[in-house]
Amino acid sequence: MGMTGMRDGRADWAESAPGRRFPSFGDVLEEIRAHVSPVAIGDAAFARLTDCASGLPAGAASHEFWIELRPHDPERADLIFTLVPGWPPMRAMAPWCRKRPGPAARTFGNFLDRAAAGSLADMPDWMCVELDALAGGSRLGLFAGSPRTSGFASGRKAARSLALVTGTEDSAVVEDWQSGAATVAGFVGPVRGVGSFPEREGAPLRVWAAVDEDDRTSDALERLDWEGDLDTVRALEDAYPFKDRVFLDTDFIERRLGPVTGVERVRPGGWTEMNPGLWAERLRWAADAGWCDRDQADAWISVIGSHVVETDTGPTTLNLGVNHVKFVFGDGDPYLKLYLAGNMGRIRSAA
């Protein structure tokens, strides 16, 4: 039985004949390495990515995944992938959760088993699994997402969806989550996603919200009473020359707004257009402005494209692009993060 109101019957690329040639998500990443230079992702960072993905089902690449990169720390990369209700990779994740140490993963596995067995109230429209790939191991984060156009109907709805995904039954924690989501919805814009980082210090709540095109992110942060340097955020707004969609990342510990915020810039059209020229102007601007090096910008641009991967059971398709960039404030000097996006087995064409 599929989830009520959710999309069923979507194919899992990993169950195709070519897809079965990839035993794990780590093997998918090894294929990606042939198309990504060490300038784009450092060798040590890539090794940690493949290590943390080695036990994940290859179907995690069926929909969308992201690799989070930091130009100022080229040997750090994190892995994010989406799970959509009704897609087979949700069920395939449960064995990985049971093998992973720590209660958060096991609780998430229990949720996946329940979701596979029938419809659940408060089911989000999509979920993200984030793995911080660190030298000593990985840390788990879980996100619940709303319809991309409207956002969650209320802070209560957002908190209940995240509580379902994480298995959280502590009413005080859920009330804190509801307060954080409602605060951001009231002062920023529609909340598109909420996340929990149970394995990070303080177990913060992440609230991801859309900023209205007529609003300034610095003004939204001022309304939230953010304690960071608003002038630095305004300087970026004044200097950034592109008409992108804007999203704001904020963290809450209990009900207190955290000191770090992220301003995301997403090019209209999305990563699946895979047009290198449209990202080239943005990334070269970032290099000229000192957010990254020019060789890094050019290396990321060169990743963008659709590649035919030949296997002994037939060809499959690897698609790679840039999903968005994030400017991070309040964590020392401001810095940039870049998110490479991809999937396997889905035919795309460049714009």
Side-chain angles (χ1 to χ4, degrees), residues 32-318:
I32 289 171
R33 190 49 161 166
H35 305 281
V36 179
S37 80
V39 177
I41 306 177
D43 290 334
F46 203 89
R48 285 195 287 269
L49 284 177
T50 54
D51 182 62
C52 80
S54 62
L56 289 165
S62 286
H63 185 50
E64 291 184 11
F65 61 85
W66 298 272
I67 299 175
E68 178 186 287
L69 302 172
R70 297 162 172 78
H72 75 295
D73 187 3
E75 293 304 342
R76 169 75 186 273
D78 298 332
L79 183 64
I80 307 165
F81 57 93
T82 55
L83 296 173
V84 181
W87 285 45
M90 273 189 64
R91 183 191 293 266
M93 277 290 298
W96 175 85
C97 293
R98 286 191 286 269
K99 293 177 183 177
R100 181 183 167 86
R106 291 194 293 272
T107 303
F108 183 52
N110 292 337
F111 155 73
L112 294 175
D113 286 336
R114 292 174 57 210
S119 59
L120 298 174
D122 300 314
M123 193 71 184
D125 281 68
W126 50 270
M127 289 150 285
C128 279
V129 177
E130 177 167 340
L131 293 171
D132 299 335
L134 306 173
S138 60
R139 294 183 306 199
L140 177 69
L142 298 170
F143 286 77
S146 72
R148 295 181 183 273
T149 53
S150 59
F152 281 108
S154 66
R156 180 173 179 267
K157 176 68 174 176
R160 287 174 57 179
S161 291
L162 184 58
L164 176 69
V165 170
T166 60
T168 300
E169 297 179 348
D170 188 326
S171 59
V173 171
V174 177
E175 288 176 4
D176 288 344
W177 289 353
Q178 177 178 330
S179 174
T183 298
V184 172
F187 287 109
V188 180
V191 171
R192 304 291 184 84
V194 286
S196 171
F197 293 95
E199 296 176 353
R200 291 187 186 179
E201 183 179 358
L205 169 73
R206 171 69 51 82
V207 183
W208 180 60
V211 179
D212 187 86
E213 63 180 8
D214 297 324
D215 198 7
R216 285 172 64 90
T217 308
S218 57
D219 292 339
L221 287 168
E222 188 171 22
R223 294 193 296 271
L224 285 171
D225 200 24
W226 182 60
E227 297 180 356
D229 186 353
L230 290 170
D231 288 340
T232 303
V233 181
R234 291 190 183 104
L236 170 65
E237 292 173 316
D238 292 339
Y240 193 82
F242 306 103
K243 295 293 184 181
D244 293 341
R245 290 179 292 155
V246 182
F247 297 88
L248 182 66
D249 282 351
T250 48
D251 285 352
F252 289 82
I253 298 178
E254 296 180 344
R255 301 194 182 191
R256 184 174 178 82
L257 181 67
V260 181
T261 192
V263 178
E264 295 185 4
R265 297 279 180 163
V266 182
R267 185 184 63 78
W271 76 267
T272 55
E273 285 187 346
M274 293 186 296
N275 186 328
L278 296 176
W279 269 109
E281 54 184 350
R282 288 164 169 79
L283 294 178
R284 287 170 182 163
W285 172 87
D288 292 342
W291 293 96
C292 63
D293 294 335
R294 178 59 182 265
D295 60 345
Q296 290 175 318
D298 289 343
W300 297 328
I301 295 162
S302 70
V303 168
I304 300 171
S306 186
H307 312 274
V308 175
V309 177
E310 297 289 350
T311 75
D312 55 8
T313 57
T316 188
T317 307
L318 167 63

